[in-house]
């Protein structure tokens, strides 16, 4: 049997992305959200436009769903299903990193924790499943914001609540941070949500590159970060490897 055709998977991911939020995105937004080269994204969009699946607004140059597919709605993976795919890799990440692990998805203006693994040190901890995290102040949230141009726009123009003295509340700084997240493939936080806590997270992607969630670690600043509060490269690699493994399993299983 022949394998999946990557260009079709990418086209499907673009359609799903346009079915979210305001549904109007530029080529650069789409390319960044799906981790595609801009010419690749543009070529797929032109093909979809040619068959009527997307339309381009003359005034803004942005793309939206065409009349034939506007009823697609958001097509994604259920949060419980994502948890089932992530559970083994989350356990492994906690064991290898020595820190707590959270898997989150975007919902109702924030990050919903759908899976939580305790630190493997037998210390007293509270289960965080069901907790909602602020997107601008957590590594998980930054990953999801970076993948959703409309959501990022909404947060940049909303109320960036200060939770600690390090919380990122400057909109221009948040924009720069999300650009770095898209470029680097991971996000970090240092005492932006809770004093003394740092985090690292990476995106979980479905077919075509669509980000459907994020996995990350959180722990004391002196363990997660090294000199000058820079996140430790070995921990970054562990988080990214876990995210890639879950994404790979999702692609193989679906």
């Amino acid at each position: 049997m022949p394998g999946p055709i990557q260009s079709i998977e990418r086209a499907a991911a673009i359609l799903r992305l346009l079915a979210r939020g305001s549904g109007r995105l530029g080529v650069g937004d789409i390319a960044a959200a799906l981790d595609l080269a801009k010419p690749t994204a543009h070529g797929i969009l032109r093909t979809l436009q040619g068959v009527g699946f997307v339309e381009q607004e003359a005034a803004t140059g942005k793309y939206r769903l065409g009349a034939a597919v506007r009823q697609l709605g958001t097509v994604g993976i259920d949060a419980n299903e994502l948890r089932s795919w992530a559970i083994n890799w989350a356990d492994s990440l906690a064991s290898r990193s020595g820190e707590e692990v959270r898997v989150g998805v975007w919902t109702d203006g924030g990050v919903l924790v759908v899976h939580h693994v305790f630190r493997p040190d037998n210390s007293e901890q509270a289960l965080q499943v069901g907790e909602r995290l602020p997107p601008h102040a957590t590594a998980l949230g930054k990953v999801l914001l970076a993948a959703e141009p409309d959501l990022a726009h909404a947060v940049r123009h909303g109320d960036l609540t200060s939770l600690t003295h390090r919380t990122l509340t400057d909109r221009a700084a948040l924009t720069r941070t999300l650009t770095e997240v898209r470029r680097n493939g991971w996000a970090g936080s240092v005492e932006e949500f809770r004093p003394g806590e740092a985090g690292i997270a990476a995106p979980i992607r479905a077919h075509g590159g669509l980000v459907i969630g994020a996995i990350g670690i959180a722990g004391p600043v002196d363990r997660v970060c090294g000199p000058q509060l820079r996140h430790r490269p070995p921990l970054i690699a562990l988080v990214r490897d876990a995210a890639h493994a879950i994404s790979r399993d999702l692609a193989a299983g679906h």
Side-chain angles (χ1 to χ4, degrees), residues 21-84:
S22 70
R24 291 172 171 80
L25 298 173
V27 176
D29 293 329
I30 293 169
L34 298 180
D35 195 24
L36 297 175
K38 197 170 180 179
T40 299
H42 185 255
I44 295 172
L45 284 165
R46 295 294 292 180
T47 302
L48 291 172
Q49 184 179 9
V51 296
F53 281 10
V54 302
E55 300 171 353
Q56 187 177 29
E57 296 180 336
T60 65
K62 292 186 176 182
Y63 290 87
R64 64 185 181 187
L65 288 179
V69 292
R70 284 188 189 142
Q71 295 181 350
L72 283 177
T74 301
V75 181
I77 188 170
D78 180 81
N80 290 327
E81 188 180 357
L82 174 60
R83 179 182 180 277
S84 70

Side-chain angles (χ1 to χ4, degrees), residues 45-180:
L45 284 165
R46 295 294 292 180
T47 302
L48 291 172
Q49 184 179 9
V51 296
F53 281 10
V54 302
E55 300 171 353
Q56 187 177 29
E57 296 180 336
T60 65
K62 292 186 176 182
Y63 290 87
R64 64 185 181 187
L65 288 179
V69 292
R70 284 188 189 142
Q71 295 181 350
L72 283 177
T74 301
V75 181
I77 188 170
D78 180 81
N80 290 327
E81 188 180 357
L82 174 60
R83 179 182 180 277
S84 70
W85 284 102
I87 190 168
N88 289 335
W89 292 110
D91 287 344
S92 175
L93 178 58
S95 177
R96 298 178 67 187
S97 68
E99 306 299 344
E100 67 176 287
V101 174
R102 296 180 293 211
V103 177
V105 298
W106 181 269
T107 180
D108 297 330
V111 181
L112 176 66
V113 177
V114 298
H115 185 54
H116 178 220
V117 183
F118 288 155
R119 291 187 306 276
D121 60 4
N122 296 319
S123 61
E124 184 177 350
Q125 301 171 64
L127 187 64
Q128 297 177 27
V129 173
E131 182 177 352
R132 295 183 185 276
L133 307 177
H136 67 294
T138 58
L140 288 174
K142 291 175 187 176
V143 165
L144 297 176
L145 285 175
E148 297 284 1
D150 283 338
L151 297 179
H153 181 273
V155 170
R156 285 200 301 268
H157 291 80
D159 182 19
L160 303 182
T161 305
S162 178
L163 303 170
T164 73
H165 71 288
R166 290 187 179 274
T167 303
L168 190 60
T169 58
D170 180 78
R171 291 179 176 84
L174 178 59
T175 300
R176 292 192 296 270
T177 296
L178 296 181
T179 299
E180 292 177 2

